Coordinates of all heavy atoms in Angstrom, one line a residue:
M222 N 121.2 99.5 135.1 CA 119.9 99.9 134.8 C 119.3 100.8 135.9 O 119.5 100.6 137.1 CB 119.0 98.6 134.6 CG 118.8 98.3 133.2 SD 117.6 97.1 132.7 CE 116.5 96.8 133.9
G223 N 118.5 101.7 135.4 CA 117.8 102.7 136.4 C 116.8 102.0 137.2 O 116.1 101.1 136.8
L224 N 116.7 102.4 138.5 CA 115.6 101.9 139.3 C 114.6 103.0 139.6 O 115.0 104.1 139.8 CB 116.3 101.5 140.7 CG 116.9 100.1 140.7 CD1 117.6 99.9 142.1 CD2 115.8 99.0 140.6
P225 N 113.3 102.6 139.6 CA 112.3 103.6 139.9 C 112.4 104.1 141.4 O 112.6 103.3 142.3 CB 111.0 102.9 139.6 CG 111.3 101.5 139.6 CD 112.8 101.3 139.2
A226 N 112.3 105.4 141.6 CA 112.5 105.9 142.9 C 111.3 105.5 143.9 O 111.6 105.3 145.0 CB 112.6 107.4 142.9
K227 N 110.1 105.4 143.3 CA 109.0 105.1 144.1 C 108.2 104.0 143.4 O 108.1 103.9 142.2 CB 108.1 106.3 144.3 CG 108.6 107.2 145.4 CD 107.6 108.3 145.7 CE 108.2 109.3 146.7 NZ 107.8 110.7 146.5
R228 N 107.5 103.2 144.2 CA 106.6 102.1 143.7 C 105.4 102.8 143.0 O 104.8 103.7 143.6 CB 106.2 101.3 144.9 CG 105.5 100.0 144.5 CD 105.2 99.2 145.8 NE 103.9 99.5 146.2 CZ 102.8 98.8 146.0 NH1 102.9 97.6 145.4 NH2 101.6 99.1 146.5
R229 N 105.1 102.2 141.8 CA 103.8 102.7 141.1 C 102.6 101.9 141.7 O 102.7 100.7 141.8 CB 103.9 102.3 139.7 CG 103.5 103.5 138.8 CD 103.7 103.0 137.3 NE 104.2 104.1 136.5 CZ 103.4 105.1 136.1 NH1 102.1 105.1 136.4 NH2 103.9 106.0 135.3
T230 N 101.6 102.7 142.2 CA 100.5 102.0 142.8 C 99.7 101.3 141.7 O 99.8 101.6 140.5 CB 99.6 103.0 143.5 OG1 99.1 103.9 142.6 CG2 100.3 103.8 144.6
K231 N 98.8 100.3 142.2 CA 98.0 99.6 141.2 C 97.1 100.6 140.5 O 96.8 100.4 139.3 CB 97.1 98.6 142.0 CG 97.8 97.3 142.4 CD 96.8 96.4 143.2 CE 97.5 95.2 143.7 NZ 96.6 94.5 144.6
Q232 N 96.6 101.6 141.2 CA 95.7 102.6 140.6 C 96.3 103.3 139.5 O 95.8 103.5 138.4 CB 95.1 103.5 141.7 CG 94.1 104.4 141.1 CD 93.6 105.5 142.1 OE1 93.9 105.4 143.3 NE2 92.7 106.4 141.6
S233 N 97.5 103.9 139.8 CA 98.2 104.7 138.8 C 98.6 103.8 137.5 O 98.5 104.3 136.4 CB 99.4 105.4 139.3 OG 100.5 104.5 139.5
K234 N 98.9 102.5 137.8 CA 99.2 101.6 136.7 C 98.0 101.4 135.8 O 98.0 101.4 134.6 CB 99.7 100.3 137.3 CG 100.2 99.3 136.3 CD 100.8 98.1 137.0 CE 99.8 97.2 137.6 NZ 100.4 96.0 138.2
R235 N 96.8 101.2 136.5 CA 95.6 100.9 135.8 C 95.1 102.1 135.1 O 94.5 102.0 134.0 CB 94.5 100.4 136.8 CG 94.9 98.9 137.2 CD 94.0 98.5 138.4 NE 94.4 97.2 138.8 CZ 94.0 96.6 139.9 NH1 93.2 97.2 140.8 NH2 94.4 95.4 140.3
E236 N 95.3 103.3 135.7 CA 94.9 104.6 135.1 C 95.6 104.8 133.7 O 95.0 105.2 132.7 CB 95.1 105.8 136.0 CG 94.0 105.9 137.0 CD 94.4 106.9 138.1 OE1 95.5 107.5 138.1 OE2 93.5 107.2 138.9
R237 N 96.9 104.5 133.8 CA 97.7 104.6 132.5 C 97.2 103.6 131.5 O 97.1 103.9 130.3 CB 99.2 104.4 132.9 CG 100.1 104.6 131.7 CD 101.6 104.7 132.2 NE 101.9 103.6 133.0 CZ 102.5 102.5 132.6 NH1 102.8 102.4 131.3 NH2 102.8 101.5 133.4
A238 N 96.9 102.3 132.0 CA 96.5 101.2 131.1 C 95.1 101.5 130.5 O 94.8 100.8 129.5 CB 96.6 99.9 131.8
A239 N 94.4 102.4 131.0 CA 93.0 102.6 130.5 C 93.0 103.1 129.1 O 92.0 103.0 128.4 CB 92.3 103.7 131.4
H240 N 94.2 103.6 128.6 CA 94.3 104.1 127.2 C 94.9 103.1 126.3 O 95.2 103.5 125.1 CB 95.1 105.5 127.2 CG 94.5 106.5 128.1 ND1 93.4 107.2 127.8 CD2 94.9 106.9 129.3 CE1 93.1 108.0 128.8 NE2 94.0 107.9 129.7
F241 N 95.2 101.9 126.7 CA 95.9 100.9 125.9 C 95.0 100.2 124.9 O 95.5 99.5 124.0 CB 96.6 99.9 126.8 CG 97.8 100.4 127.5 CD1 98.4 99.6 128.4 CD2 98.3 101.7 127.2 CE1 99.6 100.1 129.1 CE2 99.4 102.2 127.9 CZ 100.0 101.4 128.8
A242 N 93.7 100.3 125.1 CA 92.7 99.5 124.2 C 92.9 99.8 122.8 O 93.1 101.0 122.4 CB 91.3 99.7 124.7
L243 N 92.8 98.8 121.9 CA 92.9 99.0 120.5 C 91.6 99.2 119.9 O 90.6 98.7 120.4 CB 93.5 97.7 119.8 CG 95.0 97.3 120.2 CD1 95.3 96.0 119.6 CD2 95.9 98.4 119.8
T244 N 91.5 100.0 118.8 CA 90.3 100.2 118.1 C 90.4 99.6 116.7 O 91.4 99.6 116.2 CB 90.0 101.7 118.0 OG1 91.0 102.4 117.4 CG2 89.7 102.4 119.4
A245 N 89.2 99.2 116.2 CA 89.2 98.6 114.9 C 89.5 99.7 113.8 O 89.1 100.8 114.0 CB 87.8 98.0 114.6
A246 N 90.3 99.3 112.8 CA 90.6 100.2 111.7 C 89.4 100.6 110.9 O 88.5 99.8 110.6 CB 91.6 99.6 110.8
S247 N 89.2 101.9 110.7 CA 88.0 102.3 109.9 C 88.3 102.0 108.4 O 89.4 102.2 107.9 CB 87.8 103.8 110.1 OG 88.8 104.6 109.6
T248 N 87.3 101.6 107.7 CA 87.4 101.3 106.3 C 86.4 102.1 105.5 O 85.3 102.5 106.0 CB 87.2 99.8 106.1 OG1 85.9 99.4 106.6 CG2 88.3 98.9 106.7
T249 N 86.7 102.3 104.3 CA 85.8 102.9 103.3 C 85.6 101.9 102.2 O 86.3 100.9 102.1 CB 86.2 104.2 102.8 OG1 87.5 104.1 102.2 CG2 86.3 105.3 103.9
Q250 N 84.8 102.2 101.2 CA 84.5 101.3 100.1 C 85.2 101.9 98.8 O 85.2 103.0 98.6 CB 83.0 101.3 99.9 CG 82.5 100.0 99.2 CD 81.0 100.0 99.1 OE1 80.4 101.0 98.8 NE2 80.4 98.9 99.3
C251 N 85.9 100.9 98.1 CA 86.5 101.3 96.9 C 85.4 101.7 95.9 O 84.5 101.0 95.6 CB 87.3 100.2 96.3 SG 88.0 100.5 94.7
P252 N 85.5 102.9 95.3 CA 84.5 103.4 94.3 C 84.5 102.5 93.1 O 83.4 102.5 92.4 CB 84.9 104.8 94.0 CG 86.3 105.0 94.5 CD 86.6 104.0 95.5
K253 N 85.6 101.9 92.8 CA 85.6 101.1 91.5 C 85.1 99.7 91.7 O 84.2 99.2 91.0 CB 87.0 101.0 91.0 CG 87.1 100.4 89.6 CD 88.5 100.6 89.0 CE 88.6 99.7 87.8 NZ 87.8 100.1 86.7
C254 N 85.6 98.9 92.7 CA 85.3 97.5 92.8 C 84.4 97.2 94.1 O 84.1 96.1 94.3 CB 86.5 96.7 92.8 SG 87.6 96.9 94.3
K255 N 84.1 98.3 94.9 CA 83.3 98.2 96.1 C 84.0 97.3 97.2 O 83.3 96.8 98.1 CB 81.9 97.6 95.8 CG 81.2 98.3 94.7 CD 80.9 99.7 95.0 CE 80.2 100.5 93.8 NZ 80.4 101.9 93.9
H256 N 85.3 97.1 97.1 CA 86.0 96.3 98.1 C 86.2 97.2 99.3 O 86.4 98.4 99.1 CB 87.3 95.9 97.5 CG 87.9 94.7 98.1 ND1 89.0 94.8 99.0 CD2 87.6 93.3 98.0 CE1 89.3 93.5 99.4 NE2 88.5 92.7 98.8
A257 N 86.3 96.7 100.5 CA 86.6 97.4 101.7 C 88.1 97.8 101.7 O 88.9 97.0 101.6 CB 86.3 96.6 103.0
I258 N 88.4 99.1 101.8 CA 89.8 99.6 101.8 C 90.0 100.6 103.0 O 89.1 101.2 103.5 CB 90.1 100.3 100.5 CG1 89.1 101.5 100.2 CG2 90.1 99.3 99.3 CD1 89.6 102.4 99.1
L259 N 91.3 100.8 103.3 CA 91.7 101.8 104.3 C 91.6 103.1 103.6 O 92.0 103.3 102.4 CB 93.1 101.5 104.8 CG 93.3 100.2 105.6 CD1 94.8 100.0 105.8 CD2 92.6 100.3 107.0
P260 N 91.1 104.1 104.3 CA 91.0 105.5 103.7 C 92.4 106.0 103.3 O 93.4 105.8 104.0 CB 90.3 106.3 104.8 CG 90.4 105.6 106.0 CD 90.6 104.1 105.7
H261 N 92.4 106.7 102.2 CA 93.6 107.4 101.6 C 94.7 106.3 101.3 O 95.9 106.6 101.4 CB 94.2 108.4 102.6 CG 93.2 109.4 103.1 ND1 92.7 110.3 102.2 CD2 92.6 109.5 104.2 CE1 91.8 111.1 102.9 NE2 91.7 110.6 104.1
R262 N 94.3 105.1 100.9 CA 95.2 104.1 100.4 C 94.8 103.5 99.1 O 93.6 103.6 98.8 CB 95.3 102.9 101.4 CG 95.6 103.2 102.9 CD 97.0 103.7 103.1 NE 97.3 103.5 104.5 CZ 96.8 104.2 105.5 NH1 95.9 105.1 105.3 NH2 97.1 104.0 106.7
V263 N 95.8 103.0 98.4 CA 95.5 102.3 97.1 C 94.6 101.1 97.4 O 94.9 100.4 98.3 CB 96.8 101.9 96.4 CG1 96.5 101.2 95.1 CG2 97.6 103.2 96.1
C264 N 93.7 100.8 96.5 CA 92.9 99.6 96.7 C 93.7 98.4 96.3 O 94.3 98.3 95.2 CB 91.6 99.7 95.8 SG 90.7 98.1 95.8
Q265 N 93.9 97.4 97.2 CA 94.7 96.3 97.0 C 94.0 95.3 96.1 O 94.7 94.4 95.6 CB 95.1 95.6 98.3 CG 96.0 96.5 99.2 CD 97.4 96.8 98.5 OE1 98.1 96.0 98.0 NE2 97.7 98.1 98.5
N266 N 92.7 95.4 95.9 CA 92.0 94.5 95.1 C 92.1 94.8 93.6 O 92.3 94.0 92.8 CB 90.5 94.5 95.6 CG 89.7 93.4 94.9 OD1 90.2 92.2 94.9 ND2 88.6 93.7 94.4
C267 N 91.9 96.1 93.3 CA 91.9 96.5 91.8 C 93.1 97.4 91.5 O 93.4 97.6 90.3 CB 90.6 97.1 91.5 SG 90.3 98.7 92.3
G268 N 93.8 97.9 92.5 CA 95.0 98.8 92.2 C 94.7 100.2 91.8 O 95.5 100.9 91.3
Y269 N 93.5 100.7 92.1 CA 93.1 102.0 91.7 C 93.2 103.0 92.9 O 92.9 102.6 94.1 CB 91.7 102.1 91.1 CG 91.6 101.8 89.7 CD1 92.0 100.6 89.2 CD2 91.3 102.8 88.8 CE1 91.9 100.3 87.8 CE2 91.2 102.5 87.4 CZ 91.6 101.3 86.9 OH 91.5 101.0 85.6
Y270 N 93.6 104.2 92.7 CA 93.5 105.3 93.7 C 93.0 106.5 93.0 O 93.6 107.0 92.0 CB 94.9 105.5 94.3 CG 94.8 106.5 95.5 CD1 94.2 106.2 96.6 CD2 95.5 107.7 95.3 CE1 94.1 107.1 97.7 CE2 95.4 108.7 96.4 CZ 94.7 108.3 97.5 OH 94.7 109.3 98.5
R271 N 92.0 107.1 93.5 CA 91.4 108.4 93.0 C 91.1 108.3 91.5 O 91.4 109.2 90.7 CB 92.3 109.6 93.3 CG 92.4 109.9 94.8 CD 93.2 111.1 95.1 NE 92.5 112.3 94.7 CZ 93.0 113.5 94.8 NH1 94.2 113.7 95.3 NH2 92.3 114.6 94.5
G272 N 90.6 107.1 91.1 CA 90.2 106.9 89.7 C 91.3 106.6 88.8 O 91.1 106.5 87.6
K273 N 92.5 106.4 89.3 CA 93.6 106.1 88.4 C 94.2 104.7 88.7 O 94.3 104.4 89.9 CB 94.8 107.1 88.6 CG 94.6 108.4 87.8 CD 95.8 109.3 88.0 CE 95.6 110.6 87.4 NZ 96.7 111.5 87.7
D274 N 94.6 104.0 87.7 CA 95.2 102.7 87.9 C 96.7 102.9 88.2 O 97.5 103.3 87.4 CB 95.1 101.9 86.6 CG 95.6 100.5 86.7 OD1 95.9 100.1 87.9 OD2 95.8 99.8 85.7
V275 N 97.1 102.8 89.5 CA 98.4 103.1 89.9 C 99.3 101.8 90.1 O 100.5 101.9 90.0 CB 98.5 103.9 91.2 CG1 98.1 105.3 90.9 CG2 97.6 103.3 92.3
L276 N 98.7 100.7 90.3 CA 99.4 99.4 90.5 C 99.6 98.6 89.2 O 100.4 97.7 89.2 CB 98.9 98.6 91.6 CG 98.9 99.2 93.0 CD1 98.4 98.2 94.1 CD2 100.3 99.6 93.5
H277 N 98.7 98.9 88.2 CA 98.7 98.1 87.0 C 98.7 96.6 87.2 O 99.5 95.9 86.7 CB 99.9 98.5 86.1 CG 100.1 100.0 86.0 ND1 99.2 100.8 85.3 CD2 101.0 100.8 86.5 CE1 99.6 102.0 85.3 NE2 100.7 102.1 86.1
L278 N 97.7 96.2 88.1 CA 97.7 94.8 88.5 C 97.3 93.9 87.3 O 97.9 92.8 87.2 CB 96.6 94.6 89.6 CG 97.0 95.2 90.9 CD1 95.8 95.0 91.9 CD2 98.2 94.7 91.5
K279 N 96.5 94.3 86.4 CA 96.1 93.5 85.2 C 97.3 93.2 84.3 O 97.5 92.1 84.0 CB 95.0 94.3 84.5 CG 94.1 93.4 83.7 CD 93.0 94.2 83.0 CE 92.2 93.4 82.1 NZ 91.2 94.2 81.3
E280 N 98.0 94.3 84.0 CA 99.2 94.1 83.2 C 100.2 93.2 83.8 O 100.9 92.4 83.2 CB 99.9 95.5 82.9 CG 99.1 96.4 81.9 CD 98.2 97.4 82.7 OE1 97.6 97.0 83.7 OE2 98.1 98.5 82.2
R281 N 100.4 93.4 85.2 CA 101.3 92.6 85.9 C 101.0 91.1 85.8 O 101.8 90.3 85.6 CB 101.3 93.1 87.4 CG 102.6 92.7 88.1 CD 102.5 93.1 89.6 NE 102.5 94.6 89.7 CZ 102.4 95.2 90.9 NH1 102.3 94.5 92.0 NH2 102.4 96.5 91.0
D282 N 99.7 90.8 86.0 CA 99.2 89.4 85.9 C 99.5 88.9 84.5 O 99.9 87.7 84.4 CB 97.7 89.3 86.3 CG 97.5 89.6 87.8 OD1 98.5 89.5 88.5 OD2 96.3 89.7 88.1
E283 N 99.2 89.7 83.5 CA 99.4 89.2 82.1 C 100.9 88.9 81.9 O 101.2 87.9 81.3 CB 98.9 90.3 81.1 CG 97.4 90.4 81.0 CD 96.9 91.6 80.3 OE1 97.8 92.4 79.8 OE2 95.7 91.8 80.2
R284 N 101.8 89.8 82.4 CA 103.2 89.6 82.2 C 103.7 88.3 82.9 O 104.4 87.6 82.4 CB 104.0 90.8 82.7 CG 104.5 91.7 81.6 CD 105.3 92.8 82.1 NE 104.5 93.9 82.6 CZ 104.6 94.6 83.8 NH1 105.6 94.3 84.6 NH2 103.8 95.5 84.1
A285 N 103.1 88.1 84.1 CA 103.5 86.9 84.9 C 103.0 85.7 84.2 O 103.8 84.7 84.2 CB 102.9 87.0 86.3
A286 N 101.8 85.7 83.6 CA 101.3 84.5 82.9 C 102.2 84.2 81.7 O 102.5 83.1 81.4 CB 99.9 84.8 82.5
K287 N 102.6 85.3 81.0 CA 103.4 85.1 79.8 C 104.8 84.5 80.2 O 105.3 83.6 79.5 CB 103.6 86.5 79.2 CG 103.8 86.5 77.6 CD 104.1 87.8 77.1 CE 102.8 88.5 76.5 NZ 103.1 89.8 76.0
R288 N 105.3 85.0 81.3 CA 106.6 84.6 81.8 C 106.5 83.1 82.2 O 107.4 82.3 81.8 CB 107.0 85.4 83.0 CG 108.5 85.5 83.2 CD 108.9 86.3 84.4 NE 108.3 87.7 84.4 CZ 107.6 88.3 85.3 NH1 107.4 87.6 86.5 NH2 107.2 89.5 85.2
K289 N 105.4 82.7 82.8 CA 105.2 81.3 83.3 C 105.1 80.4 82.0 O 105.7 79.3 82.0 CB 104.0 81.2 84.1 CG 103.8 79.9 84.9 CD 102.6 79.8 85.7 CE 102.5 78.6 86.5 NZ 102.5 77.4 85.7
K290 N 104.4 80.9 81.0 CA 104.2 80.1 79.8 C 105.5 79.8 79.1 O 105.8 78.7 78.7 CB 103.2 80.9 78.9 CG 102.4 80.1 77.9 CD 101.5 81.0 77.2 CE 100.9 80.3 76.0 NZ 100.1 81.3 75.2
R291 N 106.3 80.9 79.0 CA 107.6 80.8 78.4 C 108.5 79.8 79.2 O 109.2 79.0 78.6 CB 108.3 82.2 78.4 CG 109.3 82.3 77.3 CD 110.0 83.7 77.3 NE 109.2 84.8 77.4 CZ 109.3 85.8 78.3 NH1 110.4 85.8 79.1 NH2 108.5 86.8 78.3
K292 N 108.5 79.9 80.5 CA 109.3 79.0 81.4 C 108.8 77.5 81.2 O 109.7 76.6 81.1 CB 109.1 79.4 82.8 CG 110.2 78.9 83.7 CD 110.0 79.4 85.2 CE 111.0 78.7 86.1 NZ 110.7 79.0 87.5
D293 N 107.5 77.3 81.2 CA 106.9 76.0 81.0 C 107.4 75.4 79.7 O 107.7 74.2 79.6 CB 105.4 76.0 81.1 CG 104.9 76.3 82.6 OD1 105.8 76.2 83.5 OD2 103.7 76.6 82.7
K294 N 107.4 76.2 78.6 CA 107.8 75.8 77.3 C 109.3 75.4 77.3 O 109.7 74.3 76.8 CB 107.6 76.9 76.3 CG 107.5 76.4 74.9 CD 107.3 77.5 73.9 CE 107.5 77.0 72.5 NZ 107.8 78.1 71.5
Q295 N 110.1 76.2 78.0 CA 111.5 75.9 78.1 C 111.8 74.5 78.8 O 112.6 73.7 78.5 CB 112.3 77.0 78.9 CG 112.7 78.1 78.0 CD 113.5 79.2 78.8 OE1 113.5 79.2 80.0 NE2 114.0 80.1 78.1
E296 N 110.9 74.3 79.9 CA 111.0 73.1 80.7 C 110.7 71.9 79.8 O 111.3 70.8 79.9 CB 110.1 73.1 81.9 CG 110.5 74.2 82.9 CD 111.7 73.8 83.8 OE1 111.8 72.6 84.1 OE2 112.6 74.6 84.1
A297 N 109.6 72.1 79.0 CA 109.2 71.0 78.1 C 110.2 70.7 77.0 O 110.4 69.5 76.6 CB 107.8 71.4 77.4
D298 N 110.9 71.7 76.5 CA 111.9 71.5 75.5 C 113.2 70.7 76.0 O 113.9 70.1 75.2 CB 112.4 72.8 74.9 CG 111.3 73.5 74.1 OD1 110.3 72.8 73.7 OD2 111.3 74.7 73.8
K299 N 113.4 70.7 77.3 CA 114.6 70.1 77.8 C 114.6 68.6 77.6 O 113.6 68.0 77.7 CB 114.7 70.4 79.3 CG 115.5 71.7 79.5 CD 115.7 72.0 81.0 CE 116.3 73.4 81.2 NZ 116.3 73.8 82.6
Ligands
ZN448 ZN1 89.1 98.6 94.2

């Protein structure tokens, strides 16, 4: 492993660390459901981006419910 040629002073270490602070992520509001969202990202609450339904969350939920119903019925028939 490489060894540093010179000791880093406390000051130079702290000067470098001055830029390490984290900042809170900026959020905007979803125009459809008013949920807080990250800018330029699909809304995770309603699945819309720029006025278009891109995640089809409603259809997905309906399909999952149908699948669950079918599975429950199969379980009951056993
Ligand atoms: Zn939304």
